[in-house]
Amino acid sequence: MPKKPSRSKLVKNLDTVFSKYIRISNADKSGYCTCVTCSVVKHWKEIQAGHFMSRKHYSTRWDETNVKPQCIGCNMFKQGEQYKYSLFLGKDASEVLYLKSKETVKFTNYELEEMIKDYSDKLKSIT
């Protein structure tokens, strides 16, 4: 019987497939995305999946509203440009995500596996 993947491995796999989905689903037909905080345009492979509320909050970590394309400059070197990100999202969505991020969520390994499968299927449908 094959060994079950560790929780950390499941989280890493979900992060990978989710990030790819966010970037590709927000790209144009040529594969280019626009950074939501500075409007720079880059190929989806050269842009990151930036989180409005930090990835440390599992309740919003894989929420499609919370994660949008961001250039490395905004996402990493400017700590996500959260204020500009909030302007992009709008006051209502920003407040909803803020409140949701405060919820305590513990996904089971099964739920993580299901999300990996769901986002893998979504990716296949758009690529």
Side-chain angles (χ1 to χ4, degrees):
M1 192 160 110
K3 187 180 166 204
K4 289 268 189 189
S6 68
R7 181 172 186 78
S8 61
K9 186 77 171 161
L10 289 172
V11 168
K12 185 176 183 192
N13 290 347
L14 179 53
D15 282 343
T16 299
V17 71
F18 181 75
S19 170
K20 191 172 179 182
Y21 172 75
I22 290 296
R23 291 175 292 134
I24 291 175
S25 66
N26 283 280
D28 63 18
K29 287 181 175 66
S30 301
Y32 287 86
C33 296
T34 303
C35 174
V36 297
T37 48
C38 77
S39 300
V40 71
V41 176
K42 294 201 176 275
H43 192 270
W44 73 265
K45 290 181 179 180
E46 297 171 348
I47 208 156
Q48 298 181 342
H51 292 69
F52 172 63
M53 296 307 302
S54 170
R55 285 177 6 142
K56 73 181 179 183
H57 304 291
Y58 274 56
S59 54
T60 52
R61 185 173 182 142
W62 301 292
D63 182 320
E64 291 179 38
T65 309
N66 187 55
V67 187
K68 303 291 180 201
Q70 271 193 312
C71 69
I72 192 170
C74 290
N75 193 34
M76 300 295 287
F77 304 124
K78 296 179 183 169
Q79 291 77 41
E81 289 280 27
Q82 194 176 39
Y83 176 70
K84 289 181 182 176
Y85 207 138
S86 73
L87 295 177
F88 169 81
L89 291 172
K91 187 175 190 282
D92 291 345
S94 297
E95 282 184 16
V96 167
L97 287 169
Y98 172 75
L99 294 172
K100 186 177 178 183
S101 76
K102 300 301 174 202
E103 296 170 8
T104 302
V105 174
K106 173 117 170 124
F107 293 106
T108 65
N109 284 7
Y110 175 78
E111 289 171 316
L112 294 172
E113 288 169 344
E114 285 298 300
M115 287 190 282
I116 292 167
K117 182 184 177 309
D118 290 346
Y119 280 103
S120 295
D121 290 346
K122 283 182 171 188
L123 259 175
K124 284 180 194 146
S125 74
I126 62 172
T127 54

